[in-house]
Amino acid sequence: MTEHAVVIAGGGPTGLMLAGELALAGVDIAIVERRPTQDLPGSRAGGLHSRTIEVFDQRGIADRFLSEGQVAQVQGFAFNRLDISDFPTRHPYGLGLWQNHIERILAGWVGELAVRFYRGREVTGFAQDDTGVDVEVSDGRSLRAEYLVGCDGGRSVVRKAAGIEFPGWDPTISHLLAEVEVAEEPELGIRQDELGTHSFGRKEYEIRDDEIVYADGGPVGVMVTEQNVGSTSEPTLRDLSEALVTVYGTDYGIHSPTYITRFTDMSRQAASYREKRALLAGDAAHVHYPAGGQGLNTGVQDAINLGWKLAQVVNEISPPSLLDTYHAERHPVAARVLRNTMAQTALMRPADARLEALRETVAELLSMDEPRKRFGAMLSGLDIHYDLGEGHPLLGRRMPDLDLATADGPLRAFALLHDARPVLLNLGEPGGFDITPWADRVQMIDARYFGAWELPVLGAVTAPPAVLIRPDGHVAWVGDLTDPGLPDALTTWFGPPPPT
Ligand SMILES: Cc1cc2nc3c(=O)[nH]c(=O)nc-3n(C[C@H](O)[C@H](O)[C@H](O)COP(=O)(O)OP(=O)(O)OC[C@H]3O[C@@H](n4cnc5c(N)ncnc54)[C@H](O)[C@@H]3O)c2cc1C
């Protein structure tokens, strides 16, 4: 039997990000992935949100994505665009970049780290005991691991085998999504009518002045609302043709599809993200309508939250109970995504006069500054606040990427996180706390910051004397170095000091 410290089922965006995080911490890690290569048929996610770009920046890989995508104001709530260009972040925008490119770039990064791939085979089940997990793989092999993480998408085998409930709401809307050739040119863009929301577009596009300008040629991407919800058969070209005729009166002579798929507004969330030694992340833990483009982003951020915690547990730095903070912190985040996507689908239904009045009311509200900021921060992930108790507004929120001054010269705060190691950042008088017991795992940096402290939505906050920053970029403690709470915070998040 082959052994790894952690096995990840599924090498989509979530599994890749998690593997990278674990590999950075020196964990022996393997991914079992059904697809023989990273190639992804179809388009799926269309880009990255501000906070995801930030977390890539924390690892020093944001430029790989930025150099291939198109920066734009992408945030939206039920067709209301939310401009975040005045937000206090180095990346006050989103990035248009198809999921196949996001996965290729992520896989390239993971390929530079020590990650074992078992491609072209599936996890079919698992059994766990007190010391580990036996993971069954479709090639007949069994992998032994200390932990198994299901990053295996909405139909997660790991979730089902772990017996984790997946409560939520059945679909009310169904769309066919396809990439095809056409004999007649359709009008490109989104159409909303009494039958639902539909669109034609080209995969290749440019964003100019925040407007999409499609390429002149190439395959056409089509999304059309189906009039029947709940179909379980694989969609065919004929289904697509019939749905198009119903909506547009013609199928534009569609032919030669590269893929046809179906997606719905089914909204479900795992009741628990952990069952002993089995954990869930990404679509395996939450599925919802793609309004606002939040799925991939939420999965990548699940991985960032879980990675360092699981690494510390496997490396015997922290007790397994640290893993419970993963569910406690991330479950509410996805619950909020489900809520906002359900609200958006309600607003996007075929309109009668009353719904139209509601849409106009929401549009009016979102054009006001405070709601724009709140919703923009929610949809971009910049307002995520883990409940770490009372205290300074930074506590539980993301550390801003400040331009620091150190004895060795200028330094960006995010550069301190490139290796996914925690940081005690002292912005006051140097000295005052001896970090020696944690020196093997926590970096101690003395620095100065002369600018304003500003957080999304909250605005200006008082300058903290020192902050303890977790590897995921969230602030675990704020105070000065004489604060008696600092050793407790270090122990809670980064394990007890080794026995002397
Ligand atoms: C039409 C559409 C548009 C979308 N638009 C956006 C958007 O704009 N922005 C956004 O953030 N999100 C968007 N999403 C959602 C996004 O695609 C998903 O949230 C994202 O892919 C989830 O990543 P994941 O890694 O958790 O799961 P997946 O991408 O589903 O990856 C799971 C991986 O596991 C593999 N696998 C499955 N079962 C097994 C098994 N038993 N053993 C081994 N491997 C297995 C699969 O091959 C796959 O590679 C959209 C989705 C759709 C359908």
Side-chain angles (χ1 to χ4, degrees):
M1 184 182 293
T2 313
E3 295 197 7
H4 297 283
V6 176
V7 169
I8 297 174
T14 307
L16 290 171
M17 190 72 220
L18 182 62
E21 293 293 286
L22 290 163
L24 282 177
V27 173
D28 171 11
I29 166 84
I31 296 182
V32 182
E33 166 54 50
R34 174 189 288 157
R35 289 178 280 159
T37 70
Q38 202 64 49
D39 291 350
L40 185 70
S43 27
R44 297 193 70 178
L48 302 175
H49 288 166
S50 175
R51 179 58 188 154
T52 311
I53 302 170
E54 281 196 345
V55 300
F56 289 149
D57 213 358
Q58 289 174 180
R59 297 295 177 262
I61 58 172
D63 287 342
R64 301 183 188 199
F65 298 88
L66 291 170
S67 63
E68 290 202 31
Q70 311 217 29
V71 162
Q73 290 303 319
V74 300
Q75 239 58 77
F77 184 85
F79 296 126
N80 297 288
R81 192 172 289 188
L82 302 163
D83 191 318
I84 63 165
S85 56
D86 59 346
F87 276 33
T89 163
R90 218 174 274 279
H91 305 290
Y93 43 70
L95 187 75
L97 185 65
W98 291 116
Q99 181 163 340
N100 57 337
H101 297 304
I102 296 171
E103 290 197 16
R104 173 177 48 77
I105 297 168
L106 264 180
W109 174 60
V110 170
E112 296 160 17
L113 304 167
V115 175
R116 173 77 199 264
F117 275 91
Y118 297 96
R119 286 196 184 274
R121 57 207 104 178
E122 302 179 15
V123 168
T124 52
F126 74 91
Q128 58 175 314
D129 55 45
D130 288 346
T131 59
V133 188
D134 292 319
V135 183
E136 294 161 26
V137 183
S138 54
D139 62 5
R141 160 192 334 238
S142 178
L143 301 173
R144 177 78 179 168
E146 289 173 51
Y147 287 89
L148 168 66
V149 189
C151 299
D152 48 347
R155 298 190 176 125
S156 172
V157 166
V158 174
R159 186 186 68 232
K160 289 173 193 159
I164 295 174
E165 298 281 311
F166 202 39
W169 295 268
D170 287 334
T172 62
I173 306 169
S174 181
H175 299 286
L176 294 178
L177 183 73
E179 201 173 275
V180 292
E181 302 286 343
V182 286
E184 298 158 45
E185 187 67 15
E187 192 179 330
L188 301 182
I190 294 173
R191 165 166 166 173
Q192 265 195 305
D193 58 28
E194 64 282 3
L195 297 177
T197 304
H198 334 276
S199 70
F200 280 101
R202 283 223 160 74
K203 196 160 182 188
E204 299 301 325
Y205 67 90
E206 274 182 42
I207 297 178
R208 292 189 210 136
D209 297 329
D210 282 336
E211 297 298 334
I212 293 181
V213 180
Y214 291 107
D216 285 337
V220 169
V222 50
M223 182 190 89
V224 61
T225 304
E226 290 187 290
Q227 296 315 302
N228 294 322
V229 177
S231 200
T232 50
S233 59
E234 280 300 308
T236 62
L237 191 63
R238 188 182 174 139
D239 295 331
L240 183 63
S241 165
E242 286 175 1
L244 284 171
V245 170
T246 305
V247 172
Y248 289 91
T250 169
D251 71 359
Y252 298 98
I254 51 165
H255 61 96
S256 313
T258 44
Y259 75 94
I260 305 175
T261 188
R262 173 179 285 117
F263 71 95
T264 73
D265 66 338
M266 180 172 72
S267 306
R268 295 187 178 276
Q269 188 176 18
S272 171
Y273 282 18
R274 178 182 174 211
E275 175 56 35
K276 300 182 189 139
R277 290 176 174 274
L279 294 126
L280 301 175
D283 276 18
H286 38 75
V287 295
H288 51 82
Y289 193 69
Q294 301 165 86
L296 181 150
N297 289 274
T298 308
V300 166
Q301 291 172 43
D302 285 347
I304 283 272
N305 184 289
L306 175 60
W308 65 275
K309 294 174 181 172
L310 186 53
Q312 286 185 184
V313 171
V314 167
N315 290 335
E316 296 183 351
I317 291 169
S318 294
S321 58
L322 181 65
L323 296 175
D324 293 330
T325 67
Y326 167 59
H327 172 98
E329 292 178 354
R330 293 304 299 174
H331 192 278
V333 172
R336 195 173 66 149
V337 172
L338 259 66
R339 196 181 68 134
N340 85 50
T341 51
M342 287 170 69
Q344 291 187 72
T345 49
L347 282 169
M348 289 157 72
R349 284 187 201 295
D352 61 11
R354 287 174 178 79
L355 184 57
E356 196 52 55
L358 179 60
R359 278 187 197 159
E360 285 168 10
T361 307
V362 170
E364 195 179 330
L365 280 169
L366 291 176
S367 70
M368 296 174 192
D369 213 38
E370 178 75 14
R372 169 187 70 86
K373 283 187 178 158
R374 279 182 184 254
F375 276 66
M378 173 177 71
L379 289 150
S380 62
L382 286 170
D383 72 344
I384 290 171
H385 177 211
Y386 301 139
D387 183 6
L388 305 188
E390 297 289 308
H392 190 281
L394 271 170
L395 191 63
R397 291 196 165 85
R398 74 188 235 300
M399 174 71 188
D401 185 20
L402 307 178
D403 288 309
L404 303 169
T406 72
D408 298 328
L411 182 70
R412 279 177 52 188
F414 281 7
L416 294 167
L417 295 169
H418 282 186
D419 298 331
R421 289 183 61 216
V423 187
L424 179 57
L425 179 63
N426 179 28
L427 298 151
E429 287 305 310
F433 183 78
D434 179 10
I435 200 174
T436 308
W438 288 272
D440 60 335
R441 54 196 103 138
V442 180
Q443 313 166 67
M444 167 85 188
I445 306 285
D446 288 314
R448 295 277 174 189
Y449 174 65
F450 302 104
W453 283 80
E454 207 188 337
L455 296 181
V457 184
L458 296 186
V461 299
T462 54
V467 287
L468 182 61
I469 310 168
R470 310 189 319 187
D472 59 2
H474 282 256
V475 174
W477 167 91
V478 181
D480 67 43
L481 296 188
T482 58
D483 177 351
L486 179 53
D488 282 350
L490 284 161
T491 303
T492 299
W493 295 109
F494 311 118
T500 46

